[in-house]
Amino acid sequence: DKSRAWKETRELVHEHRGSLTIGLVLMVINRLSGVVLPFTSKYLVDDIIQKHRVDMLMPLAAIAAVATIVQGATSFALAQVVSIAAQRAITEMRKRVQAHVLRLPISYFDSTKTGVLISRIMTDAEGVRNLVGTGLIQLIGSILTALISVTILFYINWKLTSATVVALVALAVAVADGARRPVDGPR
């Protein structure tokens, strides 16, 4: 039942909102620091190499180094915060599933194989990792990176970016349409 699944999802996210908030903040810092390095190449080529501004090389290298260190540190911290929250959520979910299984009637155990029960208890809770763990954070991070990248591309050349976006949307529509159509067998 979808409404029950959404309710449990909201409860799970609400229960771990502190860790998810810290993870989201770290992810934003990580993605913004990841955009710094491509910008430094523009200044390297345009200002340092073409205009022979060697005095700008050390500050630019320092900015790139700091951005790389920040990106590495936030990646590590993000992995730690999110993995701990995910492991906690998985443990709680396993406890709930096991408590539910223990309340089932004996006839259920007679008709179900032990391996199936153990598998369900252990693997069903693993799906929580994608919600509270890295899955949700990576999804939001990817969307944020795409938005930042498209914004930068529009700033650089809005005509070329518009043409590319139109082509990508047309391709996505064609692929979605092709996926919906039934495949004919060999003739």
Side-chain angles (χ1 to χ4, degrees), residues 158-185:
W158 68 270
K159 291 178 184 177
L160 185 60
T161 304
S162 298
T164 304
V165 168
V166 168
L168 286 174
V169 168
L171 178 65
V173 169
V175 168
D177 185 50
R180 266 186 265 132
R181 292 185 183 178
V183 178
D184 293 337

Side-chain angles (χ1 to χ4, degrees), residues 32-42 60-61 63-65 67-68 71:
L32 289 176
S33 64
V35 175
V36 171
L37 211 54
F39 265 119
T40 58
S41 63
K42 176 193 181 310
L60 190 66
I63 290 170
T68 303
Q71 190 175 14

Side-chain angles (χ1 to χ4, degrees), residues 19 22 29 38 43 54 72 95 101 107 109 112 131 174:
S19 298
I22 292 170
I29 293 169
Y43 290 106
V54 181
K95 286 180 184 177
V101 167
S107 61
F109 292 103
T112 308
L131 185 62

Side-chain angles (χ1 to χ4, degrees), residues 27 30 41 43 45 49 55 59 72 76 79 83 92 95 102 106 110 114 121 129 132 135 137 150 177 185:
M27 181 269 308
N30 181 280
S41 63
Y43 290 106
V45 172
I49 294 174
D55 59 307
F76 177 76
S83 65
E92 290 301 316
K95 286 180 184 177
L102 290 176
I106 303 254
D110 290 340
T114 305
I121 291 171
R129 183 182 313 273
V132 177
I137 300 291
V150 168
D177 185 50

Side-chain angles (χ1 to χ4, degrees), residues 62-108:
I63 290 170
V66 168
T68 303
I69 290 169
V70 167
Q71 190 175 14
T74 54
S75 290
F76 177 76
L78 181 63
Q80 293 300 311
V81 168
V82 172
S83 65
I84 289 170
Q87 204 55 45
R88 222 178 264 137
I90 289 169
T91 302
E92 290 301 316
M93 184 68 73
R94 283 184 181 153
K95 286 180 184 177
R96 282 189 237 152
V97 170
Q98 187 174 9
H100 173 75
V101 167
L102 290 176
R103 288 190 302 268
L104 293 172
I106 303 254
S107 61
Y108 180 79

